[in-house]
Amino acid sequence: MKQIRKVDEAWEFYNEFILGSFSKRSQTTETGRWENHISPMVGEKIINELTIVDLLKLRKSLESKKLSPQTVFHCLSLLRRILNRVIDYDHSVQVPKFRNVMPKFDNRRVRYLSRPEFDLLLNILKKKSKAWFDISLFAVNTGLRRGEIFNLGFENINKSDRNICILDSKTHKNRVVPLNGTAFKIISDNKNSKTFPLAAPKIFEQAVKESGLNDGIKDSRQKVVFHTLRHTFASWLVQGGIQLEVVSKLLGHTSLNMTMRYAHLAPSQAKAAVNLISQKLK
C-alpha cells in the first residue's frame, strides 16, 4: 500500500477500509460532510504539515456557513477519525490535537410526553395508520431507537423468553431488551415478512403536527420527534422509581453519564436514600 501523504489520500483510505462497514445512511452522510465541507479546505494539505491553525480555519469556515454547532462538531470529528486511522496504519504520521478545536454545546433533546400527550398522539395515529400506531406504541414500551426498530427481524425475537436481541446498534454493543405484555402482543400479532416495514414515514410527522404538540416551540430540543418516544420511555421509568443503572442498560447507553439527564425526574429517590440513613440510626 502506498504511503499516505495528503489528507484526501487519508479519506480514500478511510472510505475504502472503514466507511464501507457503516450503514448506507451513514456512508451518505459522511461522504457529504467530506465533499461539501472538509475536502475543499484541507483535502490537498500534507498531513504532517497540518497545524492547529488549519483546524481552526476549517472550523471558522464551517461556522461561516451557518451550520449548527452539532454539524460543525460532526465534520471535525470525521476529520479526526480519518487522520487517526492513518496513524494506526503509519505511526510516523503526526497530526495536531483537536482538544481545543471542537465546539462545545449541548444539543441533546430533552422533551418527553405526558400520558395525555401520548394518548392524543396515539389517537391521531390510530386513524391514520395502524402500522405507525403499533410502531409508536412499541417504541414507548421498549425505548428502542428508530433504526433499531426498523432493522428488527423475527430472528431477533425470542418468544419463549419474551425478549429481543439488538445487534449492531448505534453503540456497536449488542443488548437484550425484555418485552412487556404490550410490546410482546404487537410483535406476536405482526404477520408481515419484516417485523416493522417502513412505509410512509411522513405519517408520524403529520400526526405530530395535527396534535399541536410543537405549536409555539422554537427550541428544536423541545420539539416532539420520533426520538421523543425513547425519551418518554426513559422518563416514565425514572419517574416510576426505576434506578438509573437499570434504565441505562435498557437504553443501551455506553455510560451512566448519558442517562444522568433523567436524574432530575427522580427527586424522591434521593430523599428515600437519605431517609434510609436516618432510619438506620433510629
Side-chain angles (χ1 to χ4, degrees):
M1 186 178 294
K2 68 176 184 178
Q3 182 181 13
I4 299 174
R5 296 180 62 253
K6 293 184 177 181
V7 177
D8 57 6
E9 293 172 347
W11 161 255
E12 292 172 4
F13 175 84
Y14 179 84
N15 187 35
E16 181 176 357
F17 296 104
I18 309 297
L19 194 57
S21 63
F22 289 24
S23 68
K24 292 295 183 183
R25 182 180 179 182
S26 295
Q27 291 180 40
T28 300
T29 301
E30 297 283 61
T31 301
R33 287 170 180 156
W34 167 259
E35 293 178 349
N36 297 324
H37 304 305
I38 305 173
S39 179
M41 285 293 295
V42 297
E44 288 297 318
K45 290 188 176 293
I46 304 298
I47 296 176
N48 278 336
E49 295 178 2
L50 270 178
T51 66
I52 193 169
V53 174
D54 293 319
L55 301 181
L56 290 171
K57 286 181 178 179
L58 172 59
R59 174 177 168 175
K60 185 176 181 180
S61 171
L62 296 171
E63 292 172 339
S64 69
K65 297 179 181 180
K66 306 299 181 183
L67 300 177
S68 69
Q70 186 178 35
T71 301
V72 174
F73 182 90
H74 285 320
C75 287
L76 292 169
S77 293
L78 173 58
L79 178 59
R80 181 169 57 184
R81 288 197 302 276
I82 292 170
L83 297 177
N84 284 340
R85 295 294 78 77
V86 177
I87 294 174
D88 293 340
Y89 165 68
D90 184 353
H91 297 300
S92 67
V93 174
Q94 295 183 351
V95 298
K97 300 293 184 183
F98 281 70
R99 188 179 304 111
N100 297 320
V101 177
M102 308 299 288
K104 295 181 180 180
F105 66 98
D106 187 352
N107 202 40
R108 297 175 299 181
R109 294 186 182 274
V110 296
R111 178 80 176 270
Y112 67 92
L113 300 178
S114 66
R115 179 59 192 270
E117 287 176 330
F118 183 58
D119 287 343
L120 171 63
L121 182 60
L122 274 186
N123 287 333
I124 295 173
L125 286 170
K126 192 172 185 178
K127 297 175 184 176
K128 286 180 169 293
S129 166
K130 182 183 184 306
W132 274 101
F133 174 87
D134 286 346
I135 291 166
S136 301
L137 190 58
F138 187 81
V140 161
N141 278 275
T142 60
L144 298 188
R145 300 177 178 91
R146 178 190 178 102
E148 292 172 343
I149 291 175
F150 291 114
N151 287 330
L152 195 62
F154 287 106
E155 66 276 7
N156 302 104
I157 304 167
N158 186 331
K159 287 193 174 182
S160 60
D161 292 335
R162 292 199 171 199
N163 62 41
I164 51 178
C165 183
I166 304 301
L167 305 174
D168 304 320
S169 68
K170 179 181 177 181
T171 59
H172 306 293
K173 289 186 177 181
N174 302 336
R175 75 183 190 279
V176 174
V177 178
L179 297 173
N180 60 23
T182 302
F184 185 75
K185 186 177 187 306
I186 293 172
I187 286 287
S188 300
D189 291 347
N190 196 316
K191 306 301 181 184
N192 296 307
S193 57
K194 189 171 176 59
T195 312
F196 293 109
L198 179 56
K202 293 291 183 182
I203 289 178
F204 184 86
E205 296 175 15
Q206 292 167 358
V208 171
K209 186 175 182 180
E210 287 184 27
S211 71
L213 292 172
N214 287 335
D215 289 356
I217 296 177
K218 304 295 184 181
D219 190 337
S220 62
R221 293 170 295 184
Q222 294 287 352
K223 288 190 174 182
V224 174
V225 295
F226 187 80
H227 200 73
T228 304
L229 302 181
R230 178 171 161 85
H231 291 310
T232 300
F233 167 83
S235 299
W236 287 1
L237 287 182
V238 173
Q239 288 173 326
I242 305 302
Q243 297 294 321
L244 289 173
E245 291 85 351
V246 176
V247 177
S248 182
K249 289 180 179 179
L250 290 171
L251 292 174
H253 283 168
T254 54
S255 73
L256 188 59
N257 286 337
M258 299 178 67
T259 321
M260 288 303 294
R261 75 176 77 177
Y262 305 106
H264 69 285
L265 298 174
S268 60
Q269 292 187 29
K271 291 179 181 178
V274 295
N275 286 339
L276 179 64
I277 302 298
S278 177
Q279 293 169 9
K280 281 187 175 294
L281 292 176
K282 287 181 182 179

